[in-house]
Amino acid sequence: MYVRTLYATGDPAQLGAAVDTTASEGRALVSEQPGFRGMGLFVDRELGKFLAATWWEDERSRDASDEVLRETRARQLAPFAQTAAVDNWEAAVARPPRSVGPGAWFRLARLEFDPAGTDALAEIFRDMALPRLEALAGFEGASLLVDRAKGRAMVGVVWSDHDALAASRAGVAAIRGEATAQARVITRSIEEFEVVYAGVSPPS
């Protein structure tokens, strides 16, 4: 599958309206697009950060939907978004949750690596990191998204609640350290978000 992410920042006081509009009107509109498989919506209400991820059956569906949704996306984020970045990804390893909502939490790690090592990274994540993540209490789903051309990746893991997220930090740090050393990956940032909604259907 393929993924498009939207990462926006702005005034925390205006975040709620953008979230409500995206979760209702935006989710309804995107779900009507051909090839749509699911969506995740994550927020940091304290700092004013908004992350949306839409999942697509194939690369063509993802790209075609962007033409349809671009104008609507900007309107839904106004007046909150003062910065916005859209990125396209390949889901190299995907075990996202079928459906979780408020109360769940999400951790995102941004990675950088030699593009020639993309397949090795995917193999290490699938065969070593993912089984260990799945064994941690409160695990709900995880995915490795890659940009092969630019040597960038994101690892997102959904947890059942904030207690599970907090309890997982030491275990995940150990997994991350081993995996990144094996894959020769640099971790650029780690962020944590509330889950507004996250659910992805398997490809048909």
Side-chain angles (χ1 to χ4, degrees):
M1 287 190 286
Y2 290 81
V3 179
R4 180 172 57 252
T5 57
L6 169 63
Y7 184 85
T9 67
D11 182 354
Q14 296 179 323
L15 175 59
V19 170
D20 291 345
T21 302
T22 303
S24 55
E25 177 186 341
R27 185 176 165 191
L29 179 60
V30 74
S31 66
E32 296 173 351
Q33 305 307 310
F36 174 79
R37 304 307 306 172
M39 179 176 178
L41 181 56
F42 315 100
V43 297
D44 181 331
R45 298 182 191 275
E46 183 175 359
L47 295 180
K49 297 189 291 185
F50 172 108
L51 174 65
T54 51
W55 289 69
W56 304 91
E57 184 84 29
D58 50 45
E59 194 170 8
R60 182 171 60 180
S61 298
R62 182 197 64 192
D63 295 346
S65 70
D66 190 50
E67 296 294 327
V68 175
L69 300 170
R70 188 176 299 148
E71 183 176 339
T72 302
R73 184 167 61 221
R75 177 174 54 78
Q76 290 171 346
L77 288 176
F80 160 70
Q82 297 173 358
T83 69
V86 177
D87 291 294
N88 291 316
W89 308 91
E90 173 193 345
V93 182
R95 299 282 174 80
R98 287 295 188 97
S99 181
V100 294
W105 279 73
F106 177 71
R107 181 181 296 113
L108 175 71
R110 299 180 187 271
L111 311 176
E112 184 177 296
F113 55 94
D114 183 341
T118 303
D119 290 337
L121 170 61
E123 181 178 347
I124 289 167
F125 183 79
R126 183 187 65 242
D127 297 342
M128 187 276 283
L130 183 57
R132 290 171 61 181
L133 289 169
E134 291 175 326
L136 295 177
F139 174 90
E140 293 285 348
S143 298
L144 168 67
L145 310 182
V146 300
D147 180 334
R148 291 178 179 270
K150 296 180 180 179
R152 301 184 304 159
M154 297 199 308
V155 173
V157 185
V158 177
W159 301 93
S160 58
D161 53 40
H162 191 268
D163 287 346
L165 174 92
S168 73
R169 287 171 182 151
V172 171
I175 297 168
R176 184 188 310 116
E178 185 175 340
T180 54
Q182 289 187 26
R184 300 176 184 268
V185 167
I186 298 171
T187 301
R188 287 296 184 188
S189 68
I190 300 171
E191 299 176 85
E192 294 179 344
F193 299 85
E194 296 175 42
V195 175
V196 178
Y197 171 78
V200 179
S201 300
S204 56

